[in-house]
Amino acid sequence: MMLSASAQPKREMRGAWIQCVNGQFQGLGTQKMQETLRYQLDELQKDGANVIIFQVRPECDALYESKLEPWSRFLTGQQGVAPSPYWDPLQWMITECHKRGMELHAWINPYRAKTKTTTKLASNHIAVRNPMNCFAYDGLFILNPGLPENRNYICEVVKDIVSRYDVDGIHMDDYFYPYPVKGENIPDDEQFRQYNNGIRDIGDWRRYNVNLFIEQVYKTVHETKPWVKVGISPFGIYRNKKSSPVGSNTNGTQNYDDLYADILLWVNNGWLDYNVPQIYWEIGHKAADYETLIRWWNQHASNRPLVIGEDVERTVKHADLKNPNTHQLPAKMLLHSQLPAVKGTVLWYAKAVVDNVGNYGTALRKYYWKTPALLPDMSFIEDKTPKKVRKVKPVWTDDGYILFWTAPSWSDWKDEPVKYVVYRFNKGEKVNIEDATKIVAITDRTYFKLPYENGKQKVTYVITALDRLQSESKPVKKKVKL
């Protein structure tokens, strides 16, 4: 079943992860990497994406200019070596995404200091400068979450990004304490003795460390720039029912028990602005059924937008249980539309969509993301809306018939107009700005080129202003003849 156009929500996060840790950009060189990213962004824009989550710090390194951490080997092939010809991928991506009307969320891996395949660290890397701040685990180096100075250090890095770059969000994925490996122990007994704060159970203490960190990151971001959103994409299972009555009817690794990530606490305490559990399995998976999990998260979403992390390749690889001739995308999207807390999708991963695996990109373009969408309501950050636009007037110019308007006045970031929504209603149609199918443009310009034909068709255009959180002003109507 496909969603009808009118059933498409007006507000929905439509994201895609662009990762570097898989080596897709390593050694490409500046020009080729820019060409690759430009192509991906163009295709994702046509697919209807409105948020790009771009990995900029995979192992305490940087895909941006940083005085705190070395250039990433996932960019240049060798950690600490700047790109040549020189460029700043994060700054470039912000510019390119904003040009296409998309948000850019900078994705950092907070604690991971070395991935398994990295063999040489730069002299200014944190694990070289302060080796005692890390522990080794299964070929990884991890910044020890039990050390208060590590929380402060990561927050310093986050503050540096948010203050210097016009990012729309800071995003963290599922790597907190490392995924458990049989026979490996986390070597943090000494820190537990020193910093346990009266907590007797080491598992509770590890969760306490991560809780302190999440709260501190959230405050750091919002104190630096209040409009920058904080999002996390945890592993898809919070807890299994056999571990806790609140858990889902699943069997698998657990955020709470295995990664020491108490995601529900963070959501309930408002330490996140959006939550993207990675529900990468298929409907009917024996240990972690997609439908069971999406319904569980829908029930526990609290007052923050729930966005579903979707595995593109796995979705198209598995047949729909009720209709074996088709893959699982329609069934999954139907669940999205039926569950009120679900406010969008982030796709793992961007290149699979761009490559149109299983016609996934085509389905987004033609059906699911066909009409433009604003981002989910974030009025819990700030609930002021912009004032109405002024002086809406169609004018003949050398470029044709143009609808102009003037930006409303504003006092600070809370009501500053940064974008405008243009709606079109034909003669006899009721003006209803909740109908996403009537949006013809979301633009940062104060004009819109009208499709003039012969001046015989009566049309009503409606203009609204959006602030940085996409809160919408009251509408202003203008009748024109096209």
Side-chain angles (χ1 to χ4, degrees):
M1 178 199 148
M2 296 295 185
L3 292 181
S4 69
S6 59
Q8 296 193 353
K10 178 178 155 177
R11 289 187 177 272
E12 184 175 50
M13 184 182 282
R14 299 171 174 178
W17 281 289
I18 297 183
Q19 83 277 42
C20 66
V21 78
N22 65 341
Q24 67 170 322
F25 303 123
Q26 200 169 306
L28 270 190
T30 301
Q31 189 183 345
K32 188 81 179 100
M33 182 168 166
Q34 287 180 356
E35 279 172 17
T36 303
L37 286 168
R38 202 177 277 121
Y39 174 69
Q40 288 189 6
L41 294 178
D42 284 343
E43 291 303 299
L44 290 163
Q45 183 187 14
K46 290 173 196 163
D47 290 338
N50 57 17
V51 173
I52 299 299
I53 300 173
F54 180 56
Q55 189 174 29
V56 299
R57 184 186 183 262
E59 49 178 4
C60 295
D61 53 358
L63 275 89
Y64 60 95
E65 192 176 293
S66 171
K67 290 189 169 72
L68 301 173
E69 297 189 310
W71 283 103
S72 176
R73 81 168 177 92
F74 293 109
L75 177 64
T76 63
Q78 186 183 336
Q79 194 177 89
V81 173
S84 178
Y86 186 85
W87 69 305
D88 182 326
L90 175 56
Q91 184 53 58
W92 187 89
M93 282 291 283
I94 291 166
T95 303
E96 292 295 318
C97 287
H98 288 177
K99 208 187 327 187
R100 292 167 176 79
M102 299 167 170
E103 288 200 345
L104 188 283
H105 293 209
W107 161 17
I108 68 161
N109 300 86
Y111 295 116
R112 187 172 61 200
K114 184 188 87 67
T115 57
K116 288 186 186 186
T117 52
T118 298
T119 53
K120 191 165 185 282
L121 298 172
S123 59
N124 63 331
H125 188 274
I126 186 73
V128 177
R129 288 188 288 118
N130 293 349
M132 301 306 288
N133 283 22
C134 303
F135 60 75
Y137 187 94
D138 190 38
L140 307 167
F141 286 169
I142 306 290
L143 282 180
N144 193 333
L147 292 171
E149 60 258 44
N150 282 341
R151 292 196 287 276
N152 296 335
Y153 172 68
I154 301 163
C155 286
E156 188 188 356
V157 171
V158 167
K159 183 169 185 160
D160 179 55
I161 294 170
V162 173
S163 58
R164 291 193 299 119
Y165 293 91
D166 189 19
V167 293
D168 302 288
I170 289 289
H171 183 92
M172 290 176 277
D173 58 12
D174 51 328
Y175 294 103
F176 296 101
Y177 277 86
Y179 275 79
V181 172
K182 209 173 180 182
E184 291 260 356
N185 292 313
I186 295 171
D188 59 356
D189 290 350
E190 193 184 319
Q191 290 76 32
F192 180 45
R193 278 194 299 274
Q194 196 175 349
Y195 298 112
N196 63 46
N197 204 34
I199 298 169
R200 293 184 178 179
D201 178 82
I202 198 165
D204 289 340
W205 174 73
R206 288 171 182 163
R207 276 183 287 277
Y208 167 76
N209 294 330
V210 184
N211 295 342
L212 287 176
F213 166 68
I214 298 296
E215 183 181 19
Q216 190 177 340
V217 165
Y218 190 79
K219 284 182 175 165
T220 299
V221 170
H222 284 283
E223 280 166 10
T224 309
K225 284 182 184 167
W227 60 85
V228 174
K229 295 174 271 293
V230 177
I232 290 184
S233 52
F235 184 71
I237 298 170
Y238 174 68
R239 300 190 84 181
N240 300 311
K241 227 182 189 77
K242 66 183 179 192
S243 300
S244 163
V246 82
S248 50
N249 191 16
T250 49
N251 289 295
T253 302
Q254 306 165 95
N255 276 292
Y256 184 93
D257 306 78
D258 302 317
L259 304 175
Y260 306 100
D262 190 353
I263 188 82
L264 288 195
L265 180 81
W266 311 341
V267 171
N268 288 326
N269 285 356
W271 298 341
L272 296 181
D273 298 315
Y274 65 92
N275 176 25
V276 193
Q278 300 171 23
I279 312 181
Y280 286 173
W281 302 276
E282 66 274 14
I283 299 168
H285 189 282
K286 284 187 174 64
D289 171 46
Y290 179 95
E291 183 168 351
T292 299
L293 281 164
I294 195 173
R295 289 187 185 280
W296 185 92
W297 284 103
N298 176 71
Q299 201 180 335
H300 294 88
S302 192
N303 61 345
R304 290 293 181 266
L306 171 65
V307 182
I308 306 302
E310 295 277 3
D311 186 313
V312 171
E313 290 177 346
R314 221 176 294 191
T315 297
V316 300
K317 193 172 83 180
H318 291 278
D320 184 342
L321 302 183
K322 293 173 185 167
N323 182 5
N325 296 328
T326 182
H327 57 58
Q328 290 197 352
L329 177 61
K332 286 184 173 184
M333 284 300 202
L334 182 61
L335 280 168
H336 281 230
S337 69
Q338 290 169 341
L339 298 172
V342 175
K343 305 294 182 192
T345 312
V346 179
L347 303 171
W348 177 257
Y349 44 102
K351 189 177 182 297
V353 189
V354 170
D355 291 347
N356 202 21
V357 176
N359 286 321
Y360 201 107
T362 303
L364 294 178
R365 210 172 282 201
K366 286 191 170 176
Y367 302 104
Y368 304 111
W369 292 357
K370 186 181 179 183
T371 59
L374 307 184
L375 285 156
D377 174 46
M378 297 267 178
S379 53
F380 50 81
I381 297 176
E382 204 292 310
D383 62 359
K384 213 169 170 186
T385 55
K387 291 177 183 165
K388 291 194 291 192
V389 300
R390 300 172 295 160
K391 300 175 185 168
V392 182
K393 192 177 179 186
V395 178
W396 277 103
T397 72
D398 293 345
D399 287 332
Y401 203 28
I402 311 283
L403 190 64
F404 288 97
W405 58 90
T406 302
S409 60
W410 52 279
S411 51
D412 61 18
W413 74 270
K414 294 172 186 168
D415 62 345
E416 179 189 359
V418 295
K419 283 185 180 175
Y420 303 92
V421 188
V422 182
Y423 302 84
R424 172 182 164 142
F425 299 91
N426 293 329
K427 189 181 177 184
E429 283 183 330
K430 189 182 173 214
V431 171
N432 170 21
I433 64 167
E434 291 312 306
D435 184 349
T437 65
K438 303 304 175 190
I439 299 173
V440 291
I442 301 170
T443 178
D444 57 2
R445 298 178 172 137
T446 53
Y447 59 87
F448 174 76
K449 187 168 183 181
L450 295 166
Y452 185 83
E453 284 184 21
N454 53 19
K456 290 179 180 173
Q457 191 181 1
K458 288 180 181 173
V459 172
T460 301
Y461 279 92
V462 174
I463 314 294
T464 60
L466 300 176
D467 63 18
R468 281 184 174 273
L469 295 172
Q470 300 207 348
S471 298
E472 193 172 20
S473 73
K474 287 182 175 161
V476 176
K477 301 178 200 172
K478 191 70 188 177
K479 288 183 177 169
V480 294
K481 288 182 180 176
L482 301 178

